[in-house]
Amino acid sequence: MSGWVVAEQAQVPKRAGRGEDRLVVIGDDRGIRCVGIVDGATDTSGRTYEGLSGGALAAECVVASLRDLAADTGPVAAVAAVTAGLARLRRDWGIAEDDPLAPSAVAAVLLPRRQLVWRVGDVHVALGRASGWEHHRGDKAIDRVLAGARAAYLHRLLAKGHSAADLARKDMGRALVLPALKRQSLLANREEAGPLGFGVLNGRRVPDRFVEVFPLDEEVLEVTLASDGYLSAAGRLGQAEDELAASLRADPMRIGAHPSTKGLAPGAISFDDRTYIRVRRSAG
């Protein structure tokens, strides 16, 4: 009988503190039954909940729901349970139904006993076979649109003579897209939003379209999960770190090869929290 073991893992906040990512490894007497990465959404409201940001609060709520699930819970039931937990969290904190900045998160979860990975939102997933890696990048169309707008505006300011240092201190590109970022949750879990719609765990029903499932056939020997603070779910942690470090050196503003809705802020070690885990099959 084959099981799964953790080969590598890392969790690095973008600045001092715990950050909004959560790494989940849940086991029992039969071995690992759940591995996941939960990425709390950046809370642009500035609100805190007993010292936690909205993203961190949502991530912890998702982790608590995952811990309560049976090992054989399928993706649809798991997402429904997580959603119910977040709906209770909204009620407990008196968060309005139409609040566009309510705590939310995304997640990718490996269920060894169901031989699958399920994902809602922009967490990177990669499946490793002897023949090579199959990558399922975590991104969404609305972020690409807003990141492109920010990049174009900042390139224009640089061309007019603004210094990169000044724009890092006062990111006018971020300010340009921030109103849209604060309202983009209006597209979340909405099938009618077309290609700009996206899935998120926020206490509202997640349509099946936004629950991705990646079956693990017997040829899959390794699985990596990585939050979008990394460029990809690379096959090795060192590779993921090297990719990110090279990208940050070349483009700390995040307006070049990998545009983002935010850059490397002064005093931060990266543009976002980052979490990575690689698991592999193990006989026994």
Side-chain angles (χ1 to χ4, degrees):
M1 176 182 177
S2 66
W4 293 82
V5 296
V6 175
E8 295 183 291
Q9 65 184 62
Q11 191 166 18
V12 186
K14 64 188 174 198
R15 59 175 76 247
R18 192 177 177 194
E20 296 176 321
D21 286 2
R22 296 294 183 266
L23 179 61
V24 186
V25 180
I26 303 171
D28 56 25
D29 57 2
R30 292 177 56 197
I32 291 176
R33 64 182 180 88
C34 175
V35 172
I37 286 179
V38 184
D39 183 355
T42 299
D43 191 338
T44 55
S45 71
R47 292 180 301 209
T48 59
Y49 303 83
E50 293 184 356
L52 291 176
S53 68
L57 181 71
E60 296 205 347
C61 181
V62 173
V63 172
S65 294
L66 292 176
R67 291 191 183 281
D68 288 341
L69 295 178
D72 61 350
T73 304
V76 172
V79 172
V82 167
T83 297
L86 287 164
R88 287 192 296 272
L89 181 143
R90 277 178 176 255
R91 292 193 295 271
D92 290 347
W93 284 96
I95 299 168
E97 274 292 307
D98 60 351
D99 188 334
L101 298 176
S104 63
V106 296
V109 178
L110 164 65
L111 300 176
R113 292 169 204 173
R114 293 296 296 255
Q115 290 292 289
L116 59 82
V117 174
W118 64 260
R119 174 173 75 178
V120 174
D122 50 355
V123 178
H124 303 303
V125 175
L127 312 180
R129 299 180 174 86
S131 58
W133 285 89
E134 174 187 314
H135 289 273
H136 301 276
R137 291 185 57 80
D139 62 2
K140 56 183 185 287
I142 185 61
D143 281 348
R144 293 194 296 271
V145 170
L146 296 179
R150 172 180 171 269
Y153 187 60
L154 289 176
H155 277 297
R156 174 179 172 270
L157 294 177
L158 289 169
K160 289 182 65 178
H162 289 261
S163 74
D166 287 343
L167 293 175
R169 284 190 293 270
K170 184 178 180 181
D171 188 338
M172 289 186 277
R174 174 80 173 176
L176 175 73
V177 301
L178 190 57
L181 287 170
K182 288 183 174 181
R183 305 295 291 180
Q184 77 170 20
S185 65
L186 298 175
L187 302 174
N189 297 331
R190 294 189 178 274
E191 295 183 276
E192 66 272 22
L196 294 180
F198 60 94
V200 71
L201 302 167
N202 64 359
R204 298 178 181 274
R205 187 183 77 86
V206 182
D208 291 348
R209 168 191 164 192
F210 299 123
V211 182
E212 299 175 273
V213 178
F214 309 107
L216 306 180
D217 57 59
E218 288 302 316
E219 293 183 354
V220 175
L221 304 176
E222 296 181 285
V223 175
T224 61
L225 310 175
S227 66
D228 64 352
Y230 285 104
L231 303 187
S232 72
R236 296 293 182 269
L237 175 59
Q239 181 184 350
E241 288 286 345
D242 289 347
E243 287 177 351
L244 177 63
S247 180
L248 288 173
R249 285 193 301 270
D251 179 27
M253 294 177 69
R254 317 306 294 155
I255 60 174
H258 302 284
S260 173
T261 57
K262 54 190 172 184
L264 182 61
I269 62 173
S270 190
F271 65 96
D272 203 354
D273 302 328
R274 63 188 190 269
T275 302
Y276 175 101
I277 189 165
R278 176 170 63 89
V279 296
R280 58 178 174 80
R281 288 190 191 270
S282 174

